[in-house]
Amino acid sequence: GHKAVKLAISILKESHYETPEAMHQMIKCFPLYLNAWRDNYLQESDDLVATLHHIMRRVDLSNKSSSEATLFDSLRQGVSSIFVAEKKQQTVFERFSLQLQRKTICLMVSLGSPTPDVLKS
């Protein structure tokens, strides 16, 4: 898992965070990795959140039916899950370092209004 993400991040960095459609499936999975890793791979999580920031800066949302708009919506839903806990457990967000929490909040803000699930939690 984290080796595949490191490779994907490396490819994205080399391409200056251009997101060809072939990479969209992998990018859509990034929030799943953040949830699965919890606080086990904090450096990789930090790199992943930073990469998502770079990607979001490049996404063109002028065409709502574009694959980038679909990617944006998918990331918004995925990142939202980091803030939602199941049955009195700590959220993944709460287990992050303070610095990573700040970066994750900034990412959530760049993704637009929080989802209803985030607002409830």
Side-chain angles (χ1 to χ4, degrees):
H2 68 277
K3 288 181 182 182
V5 172
K6 281 180 132 180
L7 178 62
I9 290 172
S10 176
I11 291 168
L12 287 164
K13 281 181 183 177
E14 286 179 21
S15 70
H16 304 286
Y17 301 98
E18 291 294 324
T19 55
E21 216 166 316
M23 289 291 291
H24 285 195
Q25 267 317 109
M26 181 64 175
I27 294 168
K28 287 177 184 179
C29 291
F30 284 176
L32 298 174
Y33 285 104
L34 289 171
N35 270 319
W37 293 342
R38 302 192 70 76
D39 56 353
N40 293 322
Y41 299 103
L42 289 176
Q43 183 57 53
E44 288 85 350
S45 294
D46 193 80
D47 293 344
L48 192 54
V49 170
T51 299
L52 288 171
H53 274 286
H54 286 291
I55 291 168
M56 295 318 303
R57 284 188 209 116
R58 298 179 100 13
V59 170
D60 176 15
L61 296 174
S62 60
N63 179 0
K64 295 291 185 195
S65 64
S66 72
S67 62
E68 285 189 333
T70 303
L71 175 64
F72 178 88
D73 290 338
S74 178
L75 288 176
R76 184 171 171 264
Q77 289 298 320
V79 170
S80 294
S81 67
I82 294 166
F83 295 91
V84 179
E86 292 183 28
K87 299 181 183 175
K88 298 185 181 188
Q89 293 181 2
Q90 275 189 317
T91 65
V92 172
F93 174 77
E94 290 171 317
R95 298 178 78 156
F96 285 166
S97 67
L98 185 58
Q99 178 182 353
L100 185 52
Q101 284 181 355
R102 287 179 181 149
K103 288 180 182 180
T104 306
I105 289 172
C106 290
L107 177 62
M108 190 69 209
V109 168
S110 74
L111 290 166
S113 300
T115 63
D117 288 338
V118 172
L119 293 174
K120 286 180 197 172
S121 63

